[in-house]
């Protein structure tokens, strides 16, 4: 799966970007037709937000977001939400 990561008004550490790519690409286990994931990191005041849209061949895209004080917790939220949606 191809993963595109965008940072809006923030800077995510390189390790965080690598973790994002790894966890997002692993979502293909739940939906083998997933072809592309678009990840957007944004920060407003002290809240950090991660949004992910997964494109699926022959089906509507699946989107989710996570929010938290740290990038890691926001990413964990969004990945778990996408896992649940893709399993169904």
């Amino acid at each position: 799966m191809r993963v595109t990561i965008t940072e809006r008004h923030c800077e995510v550490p390189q390790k965080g970007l690598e973790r994002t790519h790894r966890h997002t690409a692993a979502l293909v286990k739940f939906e083998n037709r997933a072809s592309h994931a678009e990840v957007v990191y944004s920060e407003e005041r002290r809240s950090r937000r991660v949004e992910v849209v997964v494109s699926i061949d022959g089906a509507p895209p699946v989107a989710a977001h996570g929010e938290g004080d740290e990038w890691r917790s926001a990413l964990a939220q969004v990945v778990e939400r996408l896992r649940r949606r893709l399993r169904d």
Side-chain angles (χ1 to χ4, degrees):
M1 174 171 26
R2 192 177 76 217
V3 179
T4 305
I5 301 173
T6 305
E7 300 166 288
R8 289 189 188 150
H9 310 294
C10 63
E11 190 172 323
V12 181
Q14 184 63 32
K15 283 187 174 185
L17 297 175
E18 291 168 3
R19 182 180 302 110
T20 301
H21 191 275
R22 194 172 52 248
H23 288 295
T24 307
L27 292 172
V28 78
K29 290 187 281 188
F30 301 101
E31 178 57 68
N32 60 0
R33 296 177 299 158
S35 60
H36 180 250
E38 188 173 335
V39 181
V40 178
Y41 277 95
S42 60
E43 185 173 22
E44 291 183 20
R45 297 182 191 155
R46 294 181 186 153
S47 177
R48 295 176 176 180
R49 182 178 175 104
V50 181
E51 299 175 35
V52 180
V53 177
V54 178
S55 299
I56 301 172
D57 297 336
V62 177
H65 75 277
E67 221 170 303
D69 294 336
E70 298 179 359
W71 295 120
R72 182 178 274 200
S73 63
L75 178 64
Q77 278 182 10
V78 73
V79 167
E80 183 57 34
R81 288 176 180 166
L82 284 169
R83 283 182 185 161
R84 280 187 264 138
R85 289 185 182 173
L86 291 173
R87 269 188 278 194
D88 294 340

